[in-house]
Amino acid sequence: MMTYTSVWSDLAQVEFRQGYLETGPYRTRFLQSGSPDKPLLLMLHGITGHAEAYVRNLAAHAEHFNCYAIDFIGHGYSTKPEHPLEIPHYLDQVHRVLDALGHESAYFSGESLGGWVTARFAQLHPGRTERIVLNTMGGTMANPQVMERLLTLSTQAAEDPSWERVKARLEWLMADPSMVTDDLIRTRQAIFEQPDWRTACRMNMALQDLETRRRNMLTDDDLRAIEAEALVVWTTKDPSGPVDEGRRIADLIPRGRLAVIENAGHWPQYEQTETFDRIQLDFLLDR
């Protein structure tokens, strides 16, 4: 029998705070842990996700970094613009977060959409980018079956944020569906129950439209232009694409390397926390 876990049990012994940053036209929600005198680490979640994607990682990383897990615009409890959200919109938010925190640059750990945004940010703004971790990142593939499945599950949960719909959306992330606990379902269900979520979901699903996606995708030349040291994290059971794609990305980034995590899906930071934390910290701290 699996031991019951919850967001609160993940955070119970972590010194952290939740708050909001005024970032230009956006209000950005965050979970923060770690001393302000440590290097800044931004943790960026995936599509329709939220800062709680990193609740299991804050304790280990806060020993070495000032960690901010944020809600992207159009997600979680951040501002939800009423226009289709493309990568430049998320990049603008990241710039504004750095400015609001008074940092010229940061380390980045981005999962899925968060990895896509991180890679593009690193390519375009090397001066604001330290080491980056690209975790089951998006932005290099346009698989119609994967896009359709993600769009369907997300839209169904937005139209009807019932327990089963939200559970099905979360189970897409995991190699082991039992990792989707009641607490995690309720955490996301509360977000999906917001009155503006149906519109927000349409806006953040813009990247699942093939034409929109193509104009935002990372080309091989884009990846070759990334100057930062980069760790590409992939898993053996990622639903978005095979390990070969992670290897291809790592090979294209001049200072890139690959780490493969077994028995995890799209959320290795949550599903295989200890392994993920060790691999990511070894890289970020160059040890």
Side-chain angles (χ1 to χ4, degrees):
M1 180 179 175
M2 184 182 170
T3 304
Y4 183 80
T5 63
S6 73
V7 170
W8 179 245
S9 65
D10 291 330
L11 292 172
Q13 297 184 63
V14 180
E15 189 172 341
F16 81 101
R17 66 191 177 101
Q18 174 180 249
Y20 291 85
L21 293 169
E22 296 305 322
T23 46
Y26 317 126
R27 193 165 182 249
T28 296
R29 177 199 174 228
F30 65 82
L31 298 177
Q32 182 274 332
S33 186
S35 170
D37 60 1
K38 290 183 166 66
L40 178 63
L41 171 62
L42 291 187
M43 302 166 126
L44 307 179
H45 62 76
I47 197 80
T48 74
H50 36 90
E52 283 82 4
Y54 294 99
V55 290
R56 293 189 169 171
N57 313 105
L58 288 176
H61 287 77
E63 292 180 33
H64 308 280
F65 293 94
N66 181 18
C67 304
Y68 275 79
I70 69 168
D71 286 350
F72 274 135
I73 52 172
H75 292 75
Y77 297 104
S78 288
T79 296
K80 296 175 180 63
E82 295 187 5
H83 59 74
L85 291 171
E86 300 187 38
I87 298 302
H89 300 117
Y90 299 118
L91 296 178
D92 181 49
Q93 182 190 18
V94 171
H95 277 296
R96 292 175 184 276
V97 167
L98 286 177
D99 291 346
L101 294 175
H103 280 259
E104 181 55 35
S105 64
Y107 292 78
F108 288 85
S109 177
E111 174 259 321
S112 195
L113 170 65
W116 187 347
V117 173
T118 294
R120 180 68 83 193
F121 191 87
Q123 176 209 353
L124 297 177
H125 308 287
R128 305 207 82 174
T129 311
E130 305 296 339
R131 291 183 174 221
I132 61 173
V133 177
L134 308 172
N135 174 16
T136 62
M137 68 175 281
T140 63
M141 296 177 287
N143 182 318
Q145 288 78 27
V146 172
M147 291 161 62
E148 178 58 33
R149 180 69 176 148
L150 197 53
L151 179 63
T152 299
L153 288 171
S154 300
T155 303
Q156 286 176 343
E159 297 290 334
D160 169 27
S162 65
W163 194 264
E164 287 307 314
R165 297 277 197 205
V166 177
K167 182 170 184 266
R169 175 63 181 87
L170 284 163
E171 285 180 342
W172 183 86
L173 299 167
M174 309 293 185
D176 177 4
S178 72
M179 295 297 291
V180 179
T181 62
D182 288 357
D183 180 80
L184 188 59
I185 296 168
R186 181 57 196 144
T187 298
R188 184 164 289 202
Q189 185 181 41
I191 290 169
F192 286 9
E193 285 174 345
Q194 294 174 99
D196 56 1
W197 182 255
R198 193 175 295 188
T199 299
C201 185
R202 274 205 322 277
M203 299 304 103
N204 66 44
M205 279 287 117
L207 291 169
Q208 307 311 314
D209 169 71
L210 191 56
E211 185 181 342
T212 305
R213 189 181 190 89
R214 281 183 172 147
R215 68 170 171 262
N216 284 273
M217 283 176 68
L218 294 155
T219 66
D220 290 2
D221 284 342
D222 292 334
L223 295 171
R224 291 188 188 102
I226 293 173
E227 297 176 14
E229 289 200 50
L231 176 67
V232 178
V233 176
W234 220 264
T235 69
T236 55
K237 298 182 178 179
D238 179 55
S240 72
V243 171
D244 284 351
E245 182 63 12
R247 184 172 293 110
R248 192 183 73 83
I249 294 166
D251 287 345
L252 285 166
I253 298 173
R255 301 166 78 193
R257 66 186 86 164
L258 175 71
V260 179
I261 296 178
E262 303 281 339
N263 299 316
H266 207 51
W267 262 25
Q269 79 282 0
Y270 188 91
E271 206 168 2
Q272 296 291 343
T273 303
E274 191 175 326
T275 300
F276 178 88
D277 286 350
R278 174 179 51 77
I279 289 170
Q280 176 160 284
L281 282 169
D282 283 351
F283 167 74
L284 291 177
L285 299 170
D286 194 20
R287 63 188 188 190

